[in-house]
Amino acid sequence: MSRLRYAATLLILVALIVGALPSSPAKAQAPGPDEKTLVIAQSQDVQSLDPPQVGSRTDDNIVSHMFATLYEIDDFGNIVPFLAKDYRISEDGTEVTFVLNEGLTCHDGEPLTAEDVVYTFKRAADPANGFTGNTPGFVFASVAYKDARVDSELEATIVLERYQSIALGLLSEVHIHCKDSYEKMSLEEAQSNPIGSGPYKFVEWVKDDYLLMEKWDEFTLRDPYFDRIVWRVIPEASTRTAELIAGNVDVITNVPPDQHAAVNASGNASVVPVEGLRRIYVGFNFTDNFQSECADAIKKTEVRVALQYAVDVPTICEALLGVPCERATGLVNKPNDHPDLEPYPYDPAKAEELLDAAGYPRKGDGVRFECTLMAGRNRYLNDVNVVQTICQYLDDIGVKTNCQLMDFRAEFIPLLVNQQAGELFFVGSGGGNWNALYEMADFASENSNPNYGRWSNPEWFNRWRSLSNIRDPQEERKVVLEMLEVFYNDPPWILLYMQPDFYGVSNRLDWQPRRDERVITFNAKLK
Amino acid sequence: MAEKTSLAVPAAPPEVIRLQEDVPEASFWRRARHSLLRTRWPILALLILSLVVFLAIFGPQIAPKDPNRITLAARLKPPFERNAQGEMVYILGTDSLGRDVLSRLIYGARISLSVGIVAVGIGGTLGTLLGLTAGYFGGRVDDVIMRLADIQLAFPFILLAIMVLVVLGAGVLNLVLVLGIGQWVTYARIARGETMAQREKEYIEAARSIGASHARIMFRGILPNILAPLIVIASFNVASVILAEASLSFLGLGVPPTVPTWGGMLAESRDQLLANRWWLAVFPGLAIMLTVLSLNILGDWLRDFLDPRLRGTV
């Protein structure tokens, strides 16, 4: 018994000593704005800092400040040199050779040469690495990437399966990193220890709180004003707004329309509206992952066309997004869209008529069939309200819609990429205004990453493949217009709108947001 | 055996025994009525709770509108606003999707109350059974059950609920289960203590001597005699579960946003507070406050009323 008491006393003592020790180092606090520190708040934390694993706009915004690209697309949609000073394309269009600037280095001091460029491409394409980000999932699928080779110390060639007229723009999305530094790291280490090649160098990342980067003085191709950038994670829109008004952050994204007046009246910040390029839509899931009447119904073109008439998009824009909008006619932004296609009007009576004709009349309980619509929360402008409104519109025409809203990153995205996000899913796809094909590349193949519903219309995909044989821009445009008609007539989406973007910007800052949702601050400065 | 004897509850003070012997025993309901009439707050609390229960039961019949009906043209109408015809269409205003706040409050009462009552029912039943078993059998059974209780107590409840709901997913059923299972420890500890006190009493000895089974002794002999403190705890517990549901719904982990709940309504109001749409936060906040306050006042009264040592003081 005495031994037992002794042991118990010892245990209590140990527990008291351990309890008295700090359980972890004191948590660092996100630095606030000052003369040389810019603070940006986004709704989501970064998932990975390893460039080929980066797949979302929020991650890309951060990574683009630390990793440079060969070419870049500027604020006006022009493709301009960055790490590379020149490029040339082979006769058959399957080889793009980039000529690098001299004297480039990565953040660990390693010289950046053609070998590193080739390593970047090969590493991203290596299936053993299992990367699923934008580079392997979208860029490589869209340009039909085949291989990369070193031509000389400063010349690297990217080899493609076939000619692709937008190859240069797509390849401009690949973030370059150095071979030696990344070969030393495991894939897991590379997730959180970026060794970049761009104007800012990684300092620290406190998960779900903030990421700090500092200006890298040896980078000579850009000279940003701010010495430090802090990327804070503030998931809740009203908290972001409150932090902006309080002067604790300089830039916030997706300011809800109902808070514009409060921001503008604060005297500390104002809302900068931008005609955004992100395509917001409700996708149809064409896979056999769901066995339901809805899953069968949406495989019919006439049902999908009927559902277009059920949703009042202009009213959604005006009431929930705070601006009037014209409904999208396809997946391409103006001015590259199809000029002759008229947006589907809001006409619930016609929707009902078409559903009756398609063999889905209202049953005794007034329901034609039941669908599940899944969506993430707090990723897009006012998304929770928009999704609930769409469900209401579908309910109104007898398509009973079970609206499921979930955490965007943790729950929705894994379901979406595995085609498990319901028969219907609400999502947005980043756009660009520099070429129609860039936006159409969401459907570069039946299995490409952004083709979440696995739409497989042969009229579309045969034409897409035929583009590799076309060099004449006018002929290419003709095929593009035909494809947009196919998309319109056999819609894989319920077409909604191009998302207007509202940035909250501190009054101390001189910065103009871009249309493509990329938060790039190289040209930002204090007023 | 010696240890068991030492755990017996001390005898009641002599004056209490005298009170019980001298005063003729009035009927339970009569005493309750007299007790309530002598005090004011429990009556008010009872009235408020009756109203909430009435709204919860007859919500579909009395709610002026469909609580989920979205009308974008009517969004963010302030309370008590009259339209051009002089009619007050939305008495408590509308939310950011044009849904009627009053109807959502009424339907929210259903969710909040049913989550509170069912979760406490689950937790209370489970905890009472385990506490009864632990207290009656003692020994290893007692050790195992109480160590399980200690393990659960080591976790902050809200943290545990968040973890479980993140894994299982949000939803009314999961929420009720989590909240219910989170409550059992309180009941188990009280039931165990009370059972230990009861099992040493003569009427239990008598039951044992005539060959009554363990189950009969536990459920027919001991259980009716330990229910009073458990009922008091349950009344407080319903209030804390309603608050926990509101907290979890506020965090987006409770009931899905398409289902009207008071906590969910508060969460949705956050985006509108900066724009001074006060009614979206004030009305669900008031509903939560009044319900929880009423339950607490009633719990206080019930505790005093059921305690024989305090009988006659309330």
Side-chain angles (χ1 to χ4, degrees):
Chain A
M1 191 67 184
S2 62
R3 267 189 204 170
L4 201 67
R5 273 190 194 159
Y6 175 75
T9 313
L10 197 67
L11 204 68
I12 291 166
L13 274 174
V14 170
L16 284 173
I17 293 165
V18 171
L21 293 171
S23 56
S24 60
K27 195 178 174 186
Q29 193 158 11
D34 63 34
E35 286 202 348
K36 283 292 184 180
T37 305
L38 177 69
V39 182
I40 301 165
Q42 301 195 111
S43 60
Q44 311 274 333
D45 193 14
V46 65
Q47 285 292 96
S48 168
L49 294 168
D50 194 358
Q53 195 62 6
V54 168
S56 72
R57 181 61 73 215
T58 45
D59 289 13
D60 183 74
N61 286 338
I62 292 173
V63 168
S64 293
H65 284 75
M66 297 190 288
F67 293 86
T69 51
L70 294 168
Y71 268 66
E72 66 173 344
I73 295 163
D74 70 11
D75 299 9
F76 309 102
N78 304 310
I79 304 171
V80 296
F82 200 3
L83 288 178
K85 59 184 177 187
D86 199 7
Y87 76 97
R88 56 180 181 272
I89 298 178
S90 65
E91 277 288 304
D92 64 354
T94 59
E95 294 191 354
V96 186
T97 302
F98 291 95
V99 183
L100 291 175
N101 284 293
E102 291 167 12
L104 299 171
T105 56
C106 284
H107 293 168
D108 61 349
E110 182 187 346
L112 196 161
T113 63
E115 189 188 26
D116 300 303
V117 173
V118 169
Y119 172 75
T120 297
F121 278 79
K122 284 182 180 283
R123 179 171 178 264
D126 187 350
N129 291 328
F131 291 126
T132 56
N134 183 62
T135 296
F138 173 65
V139 174
F140 287 1
S142 304
V143 297
Y145 168 83
K146 188 177 177 187
D147 200 4
R149 67 163 190 269
V150 176
D151 291 339
S152 69
E153 192 185 341
L154 294 178
E155 288 193 3
T157 294
I158 311 303
V159 185
L160 313 176
E161 297 274 4
R162 52 185 174 269
Y163 168 76
Q164 169 58 274
S165 68
I166 56 165
L168 182 64
L170 285 166
L171 295 175
S172 299
E173 295 191 355
V174 179
H175 296 106
I176 305 299
H177 46 279
C178 282
K179 182 181 177 186
D180 291 351
S181 45
Y182 272 79
E183 274 187 340
K184 282 180 206 158
M185 284 193 280
S186 67
L187 288 175
E188 201 175 333
E189 287 168 332
Q191 300 277 326
S192 52
N193 296 292
I195 298 171
S197 56
Y200 283 91
K201 186 175 177 178
F202 173 76
V203 177
E204 69 171 334
W205 176 24
V206 179
K207 198 158 171 49
D208 294 326
D209 193 352
Y210 72 92
L211 185 144
L212 173 65
M213 54 178 70
E214 275 180 358
K215 187 173 164 181
W216 189 50
D217 290 329
E218 288 174 51
F219 190 80
T220 53
L221 300 173
R222 296 283 184 280
D223 183 23
Y225 174 88
F226 287 100
D227 288 344
R228 283 170 299 280
I229 305 180
V230 182
W231 299 83
R232 286 184 55 189
V233 184
I234 307 179
E236 222 276 307
S238 52
T239 313
R240 284 199 299 277
T241 304
E243 286 286 78
L244 177 74
I245 289 173
N248 295 329
V249 299
D250 292 307
V251 174
I252 62 172
T253 55
N254 284 354
V255 186
D258 291 329
Q259 294 172 9
H260 291 183
V263 173
N264 290 330
S266 69
N268 283 342
S270 49
V271 175
V272 180
V274 178
E275 203 180 326
L277 300 171
R278 179 169 291 278
R279 288 100 18 107
I280 302 288
Y281 61 89
V282 173
F284 295 107
N285 189 340
F286 295 92
T287 66
D288 293 326
N289 291 343
F290 291 87
Q291 305 296 325
S292 64
E293 199 177 1
C294 174
D296 294 336
I298 60 172
K299 289 191 175 89
K300 295 183 181 174
T301 302
E302 53 270 39
V303 170
R304 279 177 277 128
V305 169
L307 297 186
Q308 309 291 328
Y309 291 99
V311 183
D312 186 355
V313 177
T315 300
I316 288 177
C317 289
E318 202 137 343
L320 301 179
L321 308 182
V323 286
C325 72
E326 187 176 289
R327 186 177 193 170
T329 59
L331 71 174
V332 173
N333 272 279
K334 287 182 187 302
N336 302 316
D337 61 340
H338 196 308
D340 301 331
L341 295 176
E342 286 295 321
Y344 284 103
Y346 173 55
D347 188 347
K350 181 158 187 180
E352 299 224 30
E353 191 183 305
L354 290 172
L355 286 172
D356 287 341
Y360 295 97
R362 283 185 186 262
K363 295 169 193 155
D365 56 359
V367 175
R368 298 170 190 277
F369 51 85
E370 290 187 30
C371 293
T372 298
L373 190 158
M374 294 190 191
R377 276 196 307 254
N378 301 328
R379 168 60 187 90
Y380 309 115
L381 186 66
N382 220 351
D383 49 12
V384 172
N385 283 342
V386 171
V387 170
Q388 290 183 82
T389 306
I390 290 168
C391 290
Q392 168 85 69
Y393 281 128
L394 296 179
D395 276 347
D396 287 349
I397 59 156
V399 177
K400 191 175 177 191
T401 308
N402 170 22
C403 225
Q404 292 187 14
L405 288 148
M406 56 195 77
D407 183 83
F408 184 80
R409 275 276 166 80
E411 295 175 81
F412 178 65
I413 290 295
L415 292 173
L416 182 70
V417 297
N418 291 305
Q419 294 81 50
Q420 299 281 356
E423 293 103 346
L424 307 173
F425 51 87
F426 175 89
V427 76
S429 181
N433 56 344
W434 53 276
N435 193 306
L437 288 179
Y438 174 75
E439 299 189 303
M440 293 162 71
D442 278 4
F443 293 92
S445 77
E446 291 86 339
N447 295 313
S448 66
N449 268 10
N451 184 1
Y452 300 117
R454 297 293 185 257
W455 184 55
S456 58
N457 187 316
E459 289 185 59
W460 171 282
F461 289 101
N462 290 340
R463 284 183 174 85
W464 177 267
R465 283 183 271 273
S466 77
L467 287 168
S468 61
N469 300 317
I470 300 172
R471 298 288 190 279
D472 176 16
Q474 281 185 335
E475 202 183 329
E476 183 182 275
R477 179 68 181 160
K478 195 177 149 213
V479 176
V480 163
L481 294 180
E482 286 171 9
M483 290 172 75
L484 291 178
E485 278 175 38
V486 171
F487 194 93
Y488 180 85
N489 292 322
D490 180 40
W493 301 347
I494 296 180
L495 295 158
L496 297 178
Y497 51 85
M498 308 304 177
Q499 179 180 276
D501 293 327
F502 299 106
Y503 294 87
V505 182
S506 165
N507 286 346
R508 76 182 192 124
L509 199 65
D510 178 9
W511 176 70
Q512 182 58 40
R514 295 164 58 117
R515 285 189 66 198
D516 59 7
E517 251 190 6
R518 297 186 72 205
V519 179
I520 303 293
T521 63
F522 301 150
N523 58 358
K525 57 181 187 289
L526 291 185
K527 280 179 180 166
Chain B
M1 193 64 195
E3 280 181 16
K4 280 182 187 172
T5 312
S6 68
L7 285 170
V9 170
E15 63 273 18
V16 174
I17 294 168
R18 207 181 314 121
L19 188 73
Q20 283 176 309
E21 284 166 352
D22 296 349
V23 178
E25 198 69 31
S27 81
F28 176 85
W29 294 111
R30 201 171 159 191
R31 279 194 294 112
R33 198 174 67 238
H34 277 288
S35 170
L36 272 175
L37 287 174
R38 277 207 301 275
T39 48
R40 292 175 194 165
W41 290 113
I43 293 181
L44 189 62
L46 205 59
L47 284 175
I48 292 171
L49 282 178
S50 306
L51 178 69
V52 174
V53 171
F54 178 78
L55 292 177
I57 294 171
F58 298 103
Q61 284 75 39
I62 53 177
K65 309 236 177 254
D66 175 350
N68 288 320
R69 180 73 214 173
I70 292 169
T71 314
L72 292 182
R75 62 193 296 269
L76 298 170
K77 297 270 182 213
F80 318 118
E81 189 185 74
R82 291 183 185 278
N83 63 12
Q85 289 76 42
E87 298 162 335
M88 203 182 286
V89 183
Y90 302 102
I91 297 170
L92 298 186
T94 60
D95 68 7
S96 56
L97 286 172
R99 295 173 298 197
D100 182 37
V101 170
L102 175 60
S103 304
R104 291 180 73 73
L105 272 182
I106 291 170
Y107 273 80
R110 298 190 115 192
I111 301 290
S112 294
L113 266 198
S114 48
V115 166
I117 290 168
V118 176
V120 166
I122 292 172
T125 308
L126 186 68
T128 304
L129 286 177
L130 289 172
L132 193 61
T133 310
Y136 181 76
F137 290 107
R140 284 196 178 169
V141 176
D142 183 27
D143 281 347
V144 170
I145 292 173
M146 286 303 110
R147 290 307 75 77
L148 279 175
D150 291 343
I151 290 169
Q152 180 152 332
L153 280 179
F155 275 87
F157 168 66
I158 283 287
L159 191 66
L160 184 73
I162 289 172
M163 280 163 56
V164 175
L165 285 171
V166 164
V167 174
L168 294 181
V172 179
L173 187 65
N174 290 343
L175 186 67
V176 165
L177 282 176
V178 166
L179 292 172
I181 291 168
Q183 309 302 318
W184 74 272
V185 177
T186 316
Y187 298 94
R189 287 159 77 101
I190 290 168
R192 173 182 175 265
E194 294 288 327
T195 305
M196 283 178 151
Q198 294 292 329
R199 75 178 178 191
E200 303 303 330
K201 294 200 170 163
E202 286 167 1
Y203 74 96
I204 299 295
E205 288 291 326
R208 275 200 199 108
S209 65
I210 59 168
S213 67
H214 289 313
R216 188 176 174 84
I217 294 171
M218 283 164 69
F219 293 109
R220 301 291 297 274
I222 297 175
L223 186 59
N225 286 295
I226 64 169
L227 270 182
L230 294 171
I231 290 169
V232 172
I233 291 296
S235 68
F236 286 117
N237 213 204
V238 171
S240 58
V241 169
I242 287 175
L243 276 182
E245 178 274 317
S247 310
L248 291 168
S249 295
F250 185 82
L251 293 172
L253 289 164
V255 178
T258 45
V259 179
T261 66
W262 293 343
M265 290 172 76
L266 268 185
E268 287 165 9
S269 74
R270 278 178 300 185
D271 285 349
Q272 301 297 338
L273 283 179
L274 283 168
N276 288 330
R277 271 90 187 216
W278 55 270
W279 63 93
L280 298 175
V282 166
F283 293 127
L286 268 178
I288 293 171
M289 191 197 80
L290 288 175
T291 308
V292 170
L293 191 65
S294 302
L295 281 164
N296 281 327
I297 290 172
L298 212 62
D300 270 342
W301 171 79
L302 207 56
R303 181 195 58 209
D304 297 346
F305 175 69
L306 292 175
D307 188 338
R309 282 166 293 191
L310 297 172
R311 191 168 293 166
T313 63
V314 292

